[in-house]
Structure formats: C-alpha cells, structure tokens
Amino acid sequence: MTISSPISRLKGVGPTLEKSLNSMGIKNIADLLNHFPRKWETYQSINRIQDIKPGLVSFEAKVENIAMRRSNRHKRLTITEAILSDDTGTVRAVWFNQPYLSQTLLKGKIYRFRGNYEYKNGYVSLAAPSFEKPGTNVNKEDIITIYPETKKITSTIIRKLISQCLDYTNQLEDILPEEISQTHKLIPIDKAIKFLHQPKDFKELELAKRRISFEEMFELILTGLVIKQNIKTSPSVEIKYDPKFAKKFVGLLDFELTSAQKKAAHTILEDVDSDKPMNRMLEGDVGSGKTLVALMAAAMAYNSGYQSVIMVPTEILARQHFIGAEKLLSKLGIKVGLLISALKKSEREELKDKIRSGELDCIIGTHALISKDIEYQKLGLVVVDEQHRFGVNQRSTLKGKAKYMPHVLTMTATPIPRSLALVVYGDLDVSIIDELPPGRKPIQTKLVKEIDRVHVYSLIDSLIAKRQQVYIVCPLISESDKLGVKSVEAEYKTLQKTVFKHRKIGMVHGKLKAEEKSRIMDDFKSGKLDMLLATSVIEVGVDVPNATIMIIEGAERFGLAALHQLRGRVGRGEMQSHCYLFSDSENPATIKRLKALENTNDGFRLAQIDLELRGPGEIYGTMQSGILDLRVADIYDHKLISEVKQAAETFINKHNLLEYAQLAEKINRLKSITTLD
Ligand code: ADP
Ligand code: MG
C-alpha cells in the first residue's frame, strides 16, 4: 500500500463509507492524512458533579443505579442508563448498543468517568462515557482530535482510519526547502502529520502546528512576493514629482490635508516617480479622504504628460466622482471625461476619440474603461476605487493597451488588519489613512426594536421639518415570501400612504434603469426629496452632506462591514447624524455584532471584531475563493507571520524558485487563485 492507494484498501471502508469519504474529497491515503483535525480537546478534570459544564469532562462518581432497556421506536437499539452521584449532585449517563454495560458497571461502586456532557433530545447527560477504576493513573493531558464531521462520518471513524495510515507518512513529500526547516527549527512533514493526528502531548501538537502553519503562510506570502516581483520587472513610466504643482493643487482646497493624507500622498507620488510600476493599496475608512489623494496623483500624472483613469464599481458613483473631480481638476486645466454605458453610441464614439487622441486627461468610469475598444494615448495611472481587486489579467490588459505597465492604485474602505493584509495582499504595498478630517461629528448609532418605531419615525419627521434628509435601507427590492423582511417597494407604498404622506419620498434599487437612478439621486441631492428608500446600492461613496439620518431595516441581514459602509452615507456634513438599526433578532451573536456598531465608528476596529466573530473564511471567503484556506495557521499570529515573511523574502532573494519544482508548482496554483479576475 502507498499514500496514493484508494481508501477502500483500509480496514472498515466498504462502498458506503467510501462514497461518503469521497464526497468529502477524501479518495486516497494521502487525502486522509491531509484531513486535519478541526480542534484538539482535553478533558476538563472535575472534582465535583455540581461543577460540570457541557463539553468533555472527567470525574469520579458512584453508580447509584444502572438499567438497560430497548428503544420503543427502534427495536434493535438498546439503551443503558445510569445515575451517577457524588456529594454534590447527580448526573445521568447514557450508552447505546452496549447492553453488557449493565453487568460490568456495578451499582454502588465508584469509577472515574470520562465523556462528553451534552444537551440532546431534551436532556443533559453524559454521552457514552468511558470509565475505569478510581485511582488508576489517568492521563489528564490526553488530547482528543475533533475532525470536521458529517452526519455519517464522525471523528471516531476518522480516528480509526487515520490510525491505519500513520505508517505511510514517510511517503509524503516535504515541500518546504530543507534550508528553511533548518533555519526555523521546523520538524519534518511526516512527523508533523503524525503529531497533528495523534499528539502524545501538547508539546508535540505545538511542534506540528508550527510546522504546518509555517508552510501554509510561507506559500501564501511567497506567492504574493512572486507576483510582486513579476510586476516590478515590467517597465513603467515616470510621473515626475513636481513640488510646485503639488502646492498648487493643495492651494485649491479650502481645507488642510490631514497628516495621514499627506503621508499617503507622499508615498504614492514617490512610487509613481519611478520606472517600476506602483502597485499600492490605499486603505482608509469612508470619508477619510482617499479620493482626494488619488486625484492629487491623477493631477501629477497630467502634469507629467500622462493620462489617468479612475475606475469605480457603479455608474452612480462614476457620475458623482466625475462631478467632484471635474470641479477640482478643471482649475488646473485638466480635462476630465466620464465613460458610462448610458452614453449614446455617437457620444461613446466621440469620447473614445478624445481618449485615443489624448484630448482627455483623466477619465472616470466603470469597468468599461478597460474594455477592448478603448485605447489610450498615454496612460500613466490607474486608480481602482472600492470593491474590485485588480488581478493579473486586468493588469496585463492594461499593459497591452499601454505597451508598458501603468501605475496602479487600489482604494478600499473595507479595512483589513495589517497582519491579514500582509498575507492576503502580499503582492501589494499598503498605505493606510487612519484619521478622519477634523470636525466630523461621530455618527450616533442605536440598535432599535419594532416597538421603538413610532418614536424613531416622529424624530425623523421633526428633523425633516428642519430640512434634513433621511435614508431608509431595506434588505430586499420587492416583497417576497420571507416573512417580516422589509422591501423597498412595499415600504415605499406604505410610508407614502401613511406616516410620511406629507413628505416627498423617492426610491432607488438595482432594477431601475441607470438614468432613472441618477435622476432620483440628483433629486435627493438637490433636496427635492426628503427621504430616500434604497437597497444597499447606496452603499459606496454616495455623498449627500444634508442627509443626517439613516434607518437600516432588518439590520441582522447585513454584515458588519456592509453596515459600516451604509452608515458612512450620513455624517458627511456639519450636523449631528444618527443611524438606527432595526432588528428584532434574539440571536446573541447577532446582537453582539450589531452592538459593535453602537460602540465604535472605527472601521478598522469593526473589521477586527468581524474577523473575531466570524473568522476570515466567512468574510473574505468569496473574495478570496479559497486562498485563505489556512487550516492550521492562525491569522492573528503576528509573530509567526513576521517570521515567515522574513523567511520568504530571504528565500526569494537568494534562490530561483524553479529549482524547487514542487514549491514552484504550488505557488503557480496559488497565483491563479490570488489574482481574482
Ligand atoms: P473617501 O474617498 O475616503 O471616502 P473622500 O476623498 O471622498 O473620502 O472625502 C470625503 C469628503 O471629505 C469629501 O467631501 C472631501 O472633499 C472631504 N475631505 C477630504 N479630505 C479632507 C480634509 N483633509 N479636510 C476636510 N475635508 C476633507
Ligand atoms: Mg470614496
């Protein structure tokens, strides 16, 4: 037998079990060895029954009573029940299909029991505990492996199968270069896999975890570095830093740049003044002034004779950015264009000509900006705003268009903690704006229930009377059979007919035509509407400083990051803003999540909380399509991350990856996942 033998070769694996294992992706011995435990548990050693908490427990107790019976429903099933007691209380233990127990466990005698104390079918009981004579030398440190389970495949089954495979771990290939293992004192992979599945003690487990985490992190970080290296080898164009022009730009503003903005701008302008392409991510909370920093770079590109492009996710945003950018940039003689799909064919052709001839200096739009038919005269800078990650394919599209690699600046308001950014965005340099412009009043957020609605509505009405404006966000566009979930269309009808019939209400959602959407947005912006009902289409970037209240219906249906983004639509002016989160959820985890918004306005803090509550997989899962497949490594292990980062940097500077065939292959595979196109 070898590690590539099918699992059907193992004892106890018949066709049914084989099928279930296959459906979990376990086909051969190697797959099984790579099926890692989800957690490792030890028994809580309990002295008294009254202290028992759910989970794995171990304690001494007397058998008060023990009896076996047959199940009423399943005739073949036997149930053995015992009542165990000590001075402090009693507890019930249950075994299935072990009828002999009523003979082996003796009434009136004391034993040491170990098992899972759990709630099941309406009872709390000790499930099938093991037992031994008291005083036997029990090893409290025994580590129990818990695997990802399905209904059919329990940890017990996996453990039994794995025991049969551990002799084959020496056939596993060690991907980590020898040199790395030595320098960083990592145990070999065969030992690590053995220890991971059957650790004798915590020391072994730690050694195994360290070895495997190291490899997981090393591969991810190395992949980022390889991509980064590849990008840097393509030539770019130098956007010369002109301090006089920078001063002129800043002089146009009626405010001072924050010091975080200055620092970010400085780094970016330094980056682009080089024939190596910039590949930088600018992270900053909503309203922290990222766009302004990007516009400064665009202006500098113009000053150096290059065009720039600002790519945003929606047409609403493109229009809005266009208005803001043109107002500012035209004062410097910069010609700004807007490319959106709503253009007539002739308009689009005209715009294309102006882009090709270089008549336009800065072009704002959606993804259409990099579509095949758009040619640039001299593209120097690409700014990608929100949501989209710029992948290798898009970059090579650009390179094809420009004959060199333009500088790329990605902006995001979804803050990612630095340690995570290092792993997920290893191919990017990161700048962070961690400061809001002065004078902003923090938004006051409140989690409210249905019974508070009357109160909230009357407050809104009094503020509308003072000419302030309101957003109401609903999770759905139209009514569905999902009971109690509010939809934009239904709310629109109801509010118009009832509480707010004396107010002007508009609605926007994804099903409306682009022109209609922007007409309604314009009406809201100009104050023709008091209230705007919307789905989360208004999530990013929409800027109406006079809007001071946001209501979010069914708040539990949104993620923390989305709620924070939505909330960022208010609090953009001088007035105090409020956000009301409606939720009647009773789920403690949900309430905790929503309460976090009450307590902080700091997007980075919220991102951290979100990560802690849901884990990186759930948040970045879809975005990363599997790259954050860290099965053992802990994304918060800063110490390990910086150790691995250093190892990866040293390695790539010293060696040619191609000399390490298996590692190279793995990196190539990861590369195609990391670059999400
Ligand atoms: P972001 O893109 O980070 O969400 P923006 O660049 O759109 O933020 O800025 C939000 C608002 O704040 C804009 O109206 C902008 O003009 C203004 N702003 C930007 N920087 C400053 C600053 N340093 N002081 C005051 N207001 C600023
Ligand atoms: Mg923005």
Side-chain angles (χ1 to χ4, degrees):
M1 202 153 85
T2 71
I3 50 164
S4 24
S5 304
I7 40 164
S8 55
R9 295 279 299 274
L10 294 172
K11 246 191 337 201
V13 180
T16 324
L17 184 56
E18 184 181 14
K19 222 171 126 198
S20 314
L21 286 166
N22 285 349
S23 70
M24 290 170 85
I26 302 174
K27 301 207 161 74
N28 57 30
I29 308 294
D31 295 336
L32 196 57
L33 288 171
N34 278 307
H35 186 65
F36 295 163
R38 185 164 59 82
K39 54 181 180 178
W40 294 262
E41 288 185 335
T42 50
Y43 290 102
Q44 325 158 21
S45 195
I46 308 285
N47 297 320
R48 297 169 312 171
I49 285 179
Q50 71 177 15
D51 297 328
I52 290 184
K53 288 193 214 72
L56 292 169
V57 294
S58 166
F59 59 92
E60 284 181 9
K62 186 164 92 184
V63 179
E64 287 293 334
N65 217 333
I66 183 158
M68 191 273 283
R69 60 182 168 88
R70 282 192 185 277
S71 162
N72 296 332
R73 259 187 291 162
H74 311 281
K75 286 278 177 289
R76 291 217 307 261
L77 186 70
T78 68
I79 303 170
T80 308
E81 274 178 289
I83 302 298
L84 316 174
S85 76
D86 67 8
D87 300 345
T88 67
T90 63
V91 60
R92 179 175 168 267
V94 183
W95 296 263
F96 294 107
N97 283 341
Q98 288 175 267
Y100 47 87
L101 283 183
S102 54
Q103 261 97 62
T104 31
L105 258 181
L106 302 175
K107 195 171 151 179
K109 285 244 177 332
I110 292 177
Y111 298 87
R112 183 163 191 96
F113 293 91
R114 294 207 282 176
N116 196 14
Y117 186 57
E118 61 179 21
Y119 179 84
K120 215 172 183 176
N121 306 329
Y123 293 99
V124 272
S125 55
L126 202 56
S130 63
F131 54 90
E132 55 217 338
K133 285 199 195 90
T136 43
N137 204 2
V138 270
N139 186 2
K140 267 190 263 160
E141 295 277 273
D142 265 2
I143 300 172
I144 295 116
T145 47
I146 312 290
Y147 290 88
E149 294 180 335
T150 64
K151 211 168 174 181
K152 290 208 184 97
I153 302 180
T154 61
S155 290
T156 320
I157 294 178
I158 302 270
R159 268 182 235 128
K160 275 187 191 146
L161 298 179
I162 288 204
S163 293
Q164 298 178 53
C165 306
L166 288 179
D167 285 343
Y168 303 94
T169 51
N170 56 0
Q171 292 175 27
L172 290 168
E173 304 197 65
D174 213 331
I175 287 192
L176 266 191
E178 178 72 37
E179 171 189 330
I180 301 267
S181 303
Q182 266 179 11
T183 318
H184 295 273
K185 301 203 168 59
L186 303 168
I187 59 173
I189 190 69
D190 57 330
K191 242 184 174 174
I193 295 284
K194 252 184 211 158
F195 289 174
L196 203 66
H197 288 296
Q198 286 187 0
K200 193 169 80 237
D201 50 33
F202 278 100
K203 216 175 128 213
E204 283 192 356
L205 180 59
E206 278 320 305
L207 286 171
K209 278 184 166 176
R210 176 172 156 80
R211 166 61 176 76
I212 291 167
S213 310
F214 199 104
E215 182 178 323
E216 288 179 337
M217 293 281 193
F218 185 75
E219 286 163 355
L220 274 181
I221 292 177
L222 193 62
T223 306
L225 291 176
V226 169
I227 298 176
K228 204 167 178 172
Q229 229 181 26
N230 290 349
I231 294 170
K232 293 277 180 224
T233 56
S234 329
S236 187
V237 289
E238 287 174 37
I239 294 174
K240 283 270 162 257
Y241 179 60
D242 175 351
K244 272 203 199 113
F245 188 76
K247 273 219 179 78
K248 198 165 156 194
F249 178 92
V250 175
L252 294 174
L253 308 172
D254 45 19
F255 46 75
E256 281 257 332
L257 291 181
T258 62
S259 56
Q261 279 174 313
K262 282 184 197 158
K263 202 169 141 209
H266 186 259
T267 316
I268 290 165
L269 294 177
E270 212 163 51
D271 273 3
V272 297
D273 189 358
S274 154
D275 60 359
K276 294 205 170 59
M278 169 173 75
N279 188 33
R280 182 169 289 278
M281 153 98 90
L282 182 58
E283 274 190 35
D285 219 337
V286 273
S288 61
K290 297 180 296 295
T291 310
L292 197 74
V293 171
L295 289 178
M296 189 163 175
M300 201 57 84
Y302 156 81
N303 188 53
S304 225
Y306 292 100
Q307 287 171 303
S308 57
V309 144
I310 299 178
M311 204 160 102
V312 298
T314 66
E315 301 220 337
I316 292 186
L317 269 180
R319 282 170 195 276
Q320 194 183 285
H321 270 69
F322 171 72
I323 295 167
E326 172 154 65
K327 215 188 230 153
L328 184 65
L329 298 181
S330 62
K331 292 180 189 156
L332 296 164
I334 301 174
K335 300 223 169 48
V336 186
L338 174 67
L339 181 71
I340 46 176
S341 63
L343 292 181
K344 284 199 206 88
K345 197 150 184 252
S346 58
E347 289 171 325
R348 186 182 166 97
E349 287 306 316
E350 201 187 320
L351 195 77
K352 267 168 60 182
D353 285 342
K354 287 184 179 169
I355 298 175
R356 193 181 313 116
S357 69
E359 199 182 321
L360 285 175
D361 306 305
C362 174
I363 306 101
I364 297 173
T366 54
H367 250 76
L369 284 169
I370 55 164
S371 58
K372 272 206 199 83
D373 61 328
I374 310 286
E375 287 169 46
Y376 293 89
Q377 202 233 358
K378 253 181 124 184
L379 184 58
L381 172 72
V382 176
V383 177
V384 189
D385 190 15
E386 316 277 8
Q387 283 177 357
H388 293 288
R389 175 96 197 283
F390 221 58
V392 156
N393 279 353
Q394 284 160 326
R395 230 178 252 123
S396 60
T397 310
L398 281 180
K399 201 169 149 191
K401 282 186 188 306
K403 314 284 182 284
Y404 48 81
M405 184 72 89
H407 299 286
V408 176
L409 178 68
T410 310
M411 299 197 289
T412 179
T414 308
I416 294 179
R418 249 197 211 278
S419 59
L420 189 58
L422 209 62
V423 180
V424 185
Y425 297 138
D427 55 329
L428 297 168
D429 297 313
V430 177
S431 284
I432 294 180
I433 301 187
D434 53 3
E435 176 183 11
L436 289 181
R440 298 259 168 92
K441 293 200 179 74
I443 302 160
Q444 286 182 6
T445 301
K446 214 165 160 20
L447 180 56
V448 286
K449 290 186 179 293
E450 202 48 47
I451 49 164
D452 303 312
R453 191 171 290 279
V454 183
H455 175 71
V456 173
Y457 280 171
S458 76
L459 184 89
I460 294 179
D461 203 53
S462 68
L463 289 173
I464 295 178
K466 292 187 198 155
R467 304 297 310 140
Q468 297 182 25
Q469 290 166 286
V470 184
Y471 291 106
I472 298 183
V473 178
C474 301
L476 301 174
I477 296 179
S478 40
E479 250 174 314
S480 79
D481 45 7
K482 291 196 190 84
L483 217 64
V485 181
K486 290 200 187 286
S487 74
V488 173
E489 282 173 350
E491 276 298 281
Y492 180 69
K493 274 191 210 135
T494 315
L495 295 180
Q496 227 174 15
K497 268 191 255 156
T498 57
V499 255
F500 293 114
K501 57 173 180 274
H502 56 302
R503 301 296 181 197
K504 286 180 259 24
I505 310 179
M507 94 176 140
V508 286
H509 54 68
K511 278 202 217 148
L512 295 181
K513 289 220 176 69
E515 302 103 84
E516 204 176 352
K517 252 193 269 181
S518 61
R519 186 179 52 76
I520 296 166
M521 287 311 300
D522 288 346
D523 284 352
F524 188 61
K525 201 161 180 169
S526 66
K528 277 190 207 146
L529 295 170
D530 301 311
M531 199 182 263
L532 188 68
L533 276 156
T535 51
S536 50
V537 290
I538 56 153
E539 188 172 327
V540 251
V542 171
D543 193 20
V544 182
N546 193 51
T548 55
I549 297 190
M550 167 152 301
I551 288 184
I552 301 176
E553 302 285 358
E556 73 280 357
R557 303 175 69 88
F558 298 93
L560 260 187
L563 289 169
H564 180 60
Q565 290 276 318
L566 282 168
R567 173 172 71 171
R569 300 308 108 225
V570 296
R572 311 206 127 218
E574 323 256 270
M575 288 169 287
Q576 177 61 56
S577 290
H578 298 269
C579 174
Y580 294 97
L581 305 170
F582 272 97
S583 176
D584 276 327
S585 170
E586 300 281 342
N587 182 329
T590 306
I591 294 170
K592 197 167 163 193
R593 196 156 56 86
L594 297 177
K595 282 269 177 198
L597 285 154
E598 276 189 353
N599 298 332
T600 181
N601 272 296
D602 180 343
F604 281 93
R605 181 79 201 100
L606 286 169
Q608 189 76 34
I609 294 172
D610 213 10
L611 262 171
E612 281 159 22
L613 290 176
R614 294 195 297 158
E618 199 160 323
I619 301 168
Y620 303 110
T622 44
M623 176 168 99
Q624 298 308 330
S625 38
I627 82 147
L628 265 186
D629 187 18
L630 299 174
R631 295 182 301 163
V632 181
D634 171 9
I635 202 73
Y636 296 113
D637 194 342
H638 300 262
K639 226 174 117 203
L640 182 70
I641 292 177
S642 62
E643 185 184 347
V644 174
K645 185 167 184 256
Q646 212 181 9
E649 276 166 356
T650 313
F651 178 78
I652 200 163
N653 287 332
K654 205 164 134 196
H655 298 287
N656 186 344
L657 186 58
L658 294 175
E659 287 162 25
Y660 298 81
Q662 281 162 330
L663 186 62
E665 193 196 307
K666 185 85 189 253
I667 300 293
N668 255 332
R669 218 174 328 137
L670 281 174
K671 238 159 86 181
S672 62
I673 312 173
T674 335
T675 54
L676 323 134
D677 294 316

